[in-house]
């Protein structure tokens, strides 16, 4: 993402060396080394399946320790045998080879890490070295025997094991953000599907699915996210509020890396705001929002409320919650947005609001403590019949906007992109606008929603047909 955003690359335990290798790959120079090639191939399983070599697995330090090797880097013959055994384990359990490798890797690393302090203390006591990575050659065999007994043959602390079993999947989950996409056009554009605003929810949902499908390939991969450089594992249909109405939306997942102290990584911000700008222009939206949750313990910074009922809320329940929020806040700018288990309700910062929030809630309409109380009041007034759990967190993100009266060609969206990304913004808008126009016209004719005012689209674009979204997006 740093490379896509035109920023210096910093990654790994050895940033300079890792950055050099990453830049080489991005410039077309092949990966070197069997393990590195395998690791790249395993990652591509989820990102670009066409680049996967069947049966390939990554046999690294933790796999070497799992197989009881005397050193952390397997030789070619050892690598081959380890890979074959991993493939057999996969076949016996109905897994793919990379899934079997991942299970072994996480379990081995977790068990080792959960006993790390105890093992290192023993090493120092026996004067075998300073830690498990610096064993003196003359003590290696004794250490190997001790290590085998400690890590694999003895009881272990389950809590420590669970804590140490943090994996790439955990890392992805902890860095997931959401981009909120709606397809019903702005009410400011009175000549664009005017009848859709009074259409029943199921017709709006059908239209939203069809519109989002222009970004998907036959496997459900979000091609727009891929072209921009955002890793998007999945998405789901939900509902969102705007200007007093509840409409169907797509909650598109995206990896938005960051820290509690620094917020979302600036490189990721550039990419996700480019994605939002393209979608907002093509879908003719007043705004497209994105968000990422952080477990910030400062109440003054907790501008997000998580309503958890253990299931997805219906359109009617979203409407009741939105109506209650409008009543207690006195305006429509605090809205519920679907999650897999309920809804998020967020107080977005002003455009000139600072990231560092003081005890007075600088950058918000009101202090977040007061915001939380009003949201709780609204939720209680709705009277949901489920077991309700309410949590508070800091939501980092933004509503990327365009005023269609003053900026009829989406200038607000383009102005939100960086100088380097403006060319890509225009290219992607041109690429997807014709398909969007076609879908709007088809639905306008099908449901009598009115004429579609054609946008100025670059001539010569390839004509495409409407694609059906994959089944998991239709649920």
């Amino acid at each position: 993402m740093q490379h896509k955003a035109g920023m210096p690359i910093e990654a790994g335990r050895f940033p300079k060396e890792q950055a050099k290798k990453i830049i080489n790959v991005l410039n077309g120079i092949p990966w070197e080394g069997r393990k590195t090639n395998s690791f790249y191939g395993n990652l591509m399983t989820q990102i670009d399946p066409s680049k996967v070599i069947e049966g390939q697995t990554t046999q690294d330090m933790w796999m070497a320790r799992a197989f009881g090797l005397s050193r952390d880097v397997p030789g070619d013959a050892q690598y081959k045998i380890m890979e074959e055994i991993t493939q057999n384990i996969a076949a016996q359990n109905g897994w793919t080879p990379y899934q079997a490798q991942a299970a072994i890797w996480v379990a081995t690393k977790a068990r080792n890490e959960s006993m790390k302090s105890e093992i290192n203390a023993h090493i120092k006591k026996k004067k075998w070295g300073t830690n498990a990575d610096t064993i003196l050659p003359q003590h290696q065999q004794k250490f190997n025997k001790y290590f085998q007994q400690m890590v694999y043959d003895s009881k272990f602390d389950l809590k420590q094991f669970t804590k140490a079993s943090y994996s790439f999947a955990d890392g992805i989950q902890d860095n997931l953000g959401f981009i909120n996409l709606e397809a019903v056009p702005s009410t400011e554009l009175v000549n664009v599907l005017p009848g859709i605003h009074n259409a029943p929810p199921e017709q709006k949902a059908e239209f939203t699915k069809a519109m989002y499908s222009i970004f998907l390939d036959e496997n459900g991969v979000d091609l727009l996210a891929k072209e921009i450089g955002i890793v998007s594992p999945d998405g789901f249909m939900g509902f969102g509020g705007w200007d007093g109405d509840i409409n169907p939306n797509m909650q598109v997942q995206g990896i938005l890396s960051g820290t509690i102290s620094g917020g979302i990584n600036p490189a990721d911000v550039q990419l996700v705001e480019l994605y939002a700008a393209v979608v907002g222009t093509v879908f003719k939206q007043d705004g497209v929002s994105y968000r990422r949750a952080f477990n910030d313990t400062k109440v003054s910074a907790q501008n997000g409320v998580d309503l958890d009922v253990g299931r997805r809320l219906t359109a009617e329940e979203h409407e009741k919650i939105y109506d209650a929020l409008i009543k207690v806040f006195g305006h429509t700018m605090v809205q519920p947005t679907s999650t897999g288990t309920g809804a998020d309700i967020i107080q977005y910062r002003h455009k000139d609001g600072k990231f560092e929030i003081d005890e007075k809630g600088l950058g918000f309409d009101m202090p977040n403590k007061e915001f939380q109380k009003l949201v709780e009041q609204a939720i209680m007034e709705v009277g949901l019949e489920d077991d309700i759990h309410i949590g508070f967190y800091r939501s980092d993100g933004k509503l990327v906007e365009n005023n269609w009266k003053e900026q009829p060609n989406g200038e607000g969206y383009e102005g939100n992109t960086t100088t380097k990304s403006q060319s890509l913004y225009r290219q992607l808008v041109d690429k997807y606008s014709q398909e969007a126009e076609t879908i709007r016209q088809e639905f306008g004719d099908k449901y009598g929603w009115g004429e579609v005012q054609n946008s100025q689209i670059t001539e010569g674009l390839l004509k495409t047909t409407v694609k059906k979204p994959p089944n998991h997006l239709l649920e």
Side-chain angles (χ1 to χ4, degrees):
M1 288 188 175
Q2 292 167 332
H3 178 77
K4 281 280 190 178
M7 302 175 71
I9 292 176
E10 297 180 2
R13 291 176 60 192
F14 310 103
K16 290 184 179 179
E17 188 63 28
Q18 293 289 71
K20 181 180 177 182
K21 291 180 179 179
I22 292 168
I23 291 170
N24 283 342
V25 171
L26 293 170
N27 289 331
I29 301 173
W31 288 95
E32 294 181 357
R34 183 172 186 176
K35 188 201 85 173
T36 312
N37 276 328
S38 297
F39 180 65
Y40 170 75
N42 294 158
L43 287 178
M44 287 298 104
T45 300
Q46 301 301 325
I47 299 172
D48 188 350
S50 67
K51 291 183 170 61
V52 175
I53 299 175
E54 188 174 354
Q56 195 175 57
T57 60
T58 305
Q59 303 294 334
D60 61 1
M61 176 181 75
W62 295 111
M63 294 299 287
R65 292 181 179 181
F67 279 92
L69 301 189
S70 59
R71 63 193 189 108
D72 288 339
V73 181
D76 288 342
Q78 292 172 321
Y79 200 109
K80 185 175 184 296
I81 294 171
M82 291 164 64
E83 192 164 63
E84 289 176 352
I85 293 174
T86 303
Q87 291 167 352
N88 287 336
I89 293 172
Q92 292 171 17
N93 290 277
W95 299 342
T96 62
Y98 80 86
Q99 288 173 330
Q101 184 273 337
I104 298 168
W105 187 94
V106 170
T108 303
K109 179 178 180 294
R111 188 141 190 173
N112 181 77
E113 294 290 332
S114 67
M115 299 181 174
K116 189 174 183 178
S117 58
E118 186 176 349
I119 290 173
N120 286 339
H122 187 79
I123 290 168
K124 290 180 180 179
K125 181 180 178 181
K126 292 291 187 178
K127 298 182 180 181
W128 292 346
T130 55
N131 57 52
D133 297 321
T134 59
I135 302 299
L136 298 172
Q138 63 269 30
H139 300 304
Q140 188 66 54
Q141 288 188 346
K142 287 184 286 186
F143 168 74
N144 290 346
K145 183 177 180 181
Y146 165 77
F147 182 85
Q148 181 72 27
Q149 291 174 341
M150 281 297 296
V151 175
Y152 302 112
D153 299 337
S154 62
K155 294 182 179 180
F156 63 94
D157 187 322
L158 181 59
K159 289 184 178 180
Q160 288 296 321
F161 178 85
T162 304
K163 182 179 179 181
S165 64
Y166 193 85
S167 67
F168 285 112
D170 297 318
I172 290 173
Q173 188 64 38
D174 288 348
N175 284 276
L176 271 184
F178 291 88
I179 309 165
N180 177 20
L181 311 184
E182 293 187 18
V184 176
S186 169
T187 54
E188 300 290 349
L189 299 170
V190 295
N191 293 320
V192 180
L193 294 182
I196 193 174
H197 302 289
N198 296 317
E202 58 271 17
Q203 290 182 8
K204 291 181 179 179
E206 181 189 358
F207 175 73
T208 300
K209 295 170 190 173
M211 287 290 281
Y212 181 59
S213 74
I214 70 175
F215 299 134
L216 304 178
D217 69 8
E218 63 276 9
N219 296 314
V221 174
D222 189 318
L223 295 177
L224 175 59
K226 187 176 179 180
E227 288 173 288
I228 290 174
I230 298 172
V231 178
S232 178
D234 207 349
F236 63 89
M237 285 289 297
F239 301 94
W242 182 261
D243 201 22
D245 294 323
I246 290 292
N247 284 313
N249 66 19
M250 279 299 307
Q251 295 292 317
V252 179
Q253 293 180 346
I255 296 178
L256 303 177
S257 62
T259 62
I260 291 178
S261 60
I264 300 174
N265 186 312
D268 292 359
V269 169
Q270 289 186 21
L271 299 182
V272 74
E273 291 191 0
L274 173 58
Y275 184 100
V278 173
V279 172
T281 306
V282 174
F283 285 5
K284 301 185 183 300
Q285 294 295 295
D286 290 316
V288 177
S289 65
Y290 66 92
R291 66 192 191 277
R292 152 82 200 270
F294 290 94
N295 187 25
D296 197 321
T297 57
K298 298 191 297 293
V299 175
S300 63
Q302 294 171 344
N303 61 316
V305 178
D306 174 42
L307 168 61
D308 186 351
V309 298
R311 61 176 176 82
R312 293 184 186 176
L313 296 173
T314 65
E316 292 75 19
E317 288 170 327
H318 277 85
E319 288 172 356
K320 290 179 180 178
I321 294 170
Y322 197 12
D323 288 343
L325 290 169
I326 293 172
K327 178 181 176 182
V328 299
F329 283 98
H331 58 76
T332 63
M333 293 307 293
V334 178
Q335 317 100 334
T337 301
S338 290
T339 67
T341 56
D344 281 338
I345 302 165
I346 297 168
Q347 179 177 209
Y348 285 99
R349 297 177 181 85
H350 297 306
K351 290 182 179 179
D352 58 350
K354 295 181 179 179
F355 175 77
E356 296 82 5
I357 307 300
D358 63 14
E359 292 302 318
K360 296 179 181 179
L362 180 63
F364 295 107
D365 278 333
M366 63 177 65
N368 284 314
K369 188 172 183 179
E370 184 179 343
F371 169 75
Q372 295 169 9
K373 288 181 178 179
L374 289 177
V375 171
E376 283 191 275
Q377 178 185 332
I379 291 172
M380 293 302 105
E381 287 182 4
V382 172
L384 296 172
E385 296 181 358
D386 304 81
D387 288 333
I388 295 175
H389 301 277
I390 297 176
F392 307 113
Y393 62 94
R394 193 185 87 222
S395 178
D396 199 10
K398 183 179 176 181
L399 177 64
V400 182
E401 299 177 83
N402 184 75
N403 186 320
W404 290 99
K405 280 187 176 180
E406 299 176 4
Q407 301 158 319
N409 296 310
E411 293 89 344
Y413 285 127
E414 183 171 4
N416 199 76
T417 61
T418 65
T419 302
K420 289 184 177 180
S421 64
Q422 283 183 357
S423 175
L424 180 58
Y425 162 80
R426 297 187 192 105
Q427 175 188 334
L428 293 171
V429 168
D430 288 344
K431 176 178 180 178
Y432 291 107
S433 288
Q434 184 168 323
E435 290 186 78
E437 293 284 347
T438 300
I439 293 173
R440 277 191 283 265
Q441 189 65 61
E442 288 180 357
F443 275 79
D445 295 341
K446 181 178 180 179
Y447 292 117
W449 289 342
E451 295 295 323
V452 177
Q453 182 185 49
N454 290 325
S455 302
Q456 299 213 354
I457 304 172
T458 302
E459 294 183 3
L461 291 174
L462 293 175
K463 293 185 178 180
T464 53
T465 57
V466 179
K467 297 182 284 291
K468 182 181 178 181
N471 290 333
H472 75 282
L473 295 178
L474 301 178
E475 296 175 351

